Amino acid sequence: MIIVVNKWDTLEKDNHTMKNWEEDIREQFQYLPYAPIIFVSALTKQRLHKLPEMIKQISESQNTRIPSAVLNDVIMDAIAINPTPTDKGKRLKIFYATQVATKPPTFVIFVNEEELMHFSYLRFLENQIRKAFVFEGTPIHLIARKRK
């Protein structure tokens, strides 16, 4: 996903126009923090030459495969930063994670109890994975699954 803002040539701009527009777009599309924003003008062809390269990079991000050992290192580092949550005296235990698909990158995290994996902790793990690897422009799916 790329957020393309067209008609950029029609606006009166100052030094903060682009920054202000980007903040407004991020506010409106909070569920797309991974999507890059590009301001273009189809009429003047301003910044249009950047789109093919961005599309190529996002396609590569969608096809990225992360080795399980490297992924688990990132997950263990994340747990060290922010320990797993507890509920009613039970602590979530993360055993390991593995990537099961691309387009979009999908990761299964094997845990002791799926119910203990709160959505906010999943989001934290997603942010840590995004920080460690380049997944710009593509969503990431994390699935908590009970280890058998």
Side-chain angles (χ1 to χ4, degrees), residues 73-128:
D73 286 344
V74 170
I75 297 292
M76 292 306 134
D77 288 346
I79 293 170
I81 294 168
N82 184 6
T84 56
T86 59
D87 187 31
K88 298 178 187 147
K90 290 187 81 176
R91 179 169 290 282
L92 172 70
K93 291 180 187 161
I94 296 177
F95 298 113
Y96 65 97
T98 189
Q99 185 174 359
V100 294
T102 59
K103 289 189 175 181
T106 304
F107 303 92
V108 174
I109 301 171
F110 290 93
V111 298
N112 59 336
E113 295 291 333
E114 295 161 322
E115 304 83 40
L116 296 174
M117 180 67 87
H118 195 266
F119 78 91
S120 62
Y121 201 76
L122 268 177
R123 189 171 48 227
F124 165 72
L125 293 175
E126 177 183 340
N127 290 336
Q128 295 303 306

Side-chain angles (χ1 to χ4, degrees), residues 8-20:
W8 196 242
D9 58 309
T10 62
L11 293 177
E12 292 293 324
K13 295 178 267 308
D14 61 23
N15 291 340
H16 304 288
T17 306
M18 193 177 290
K19 180 177 156 273
N20 293 340

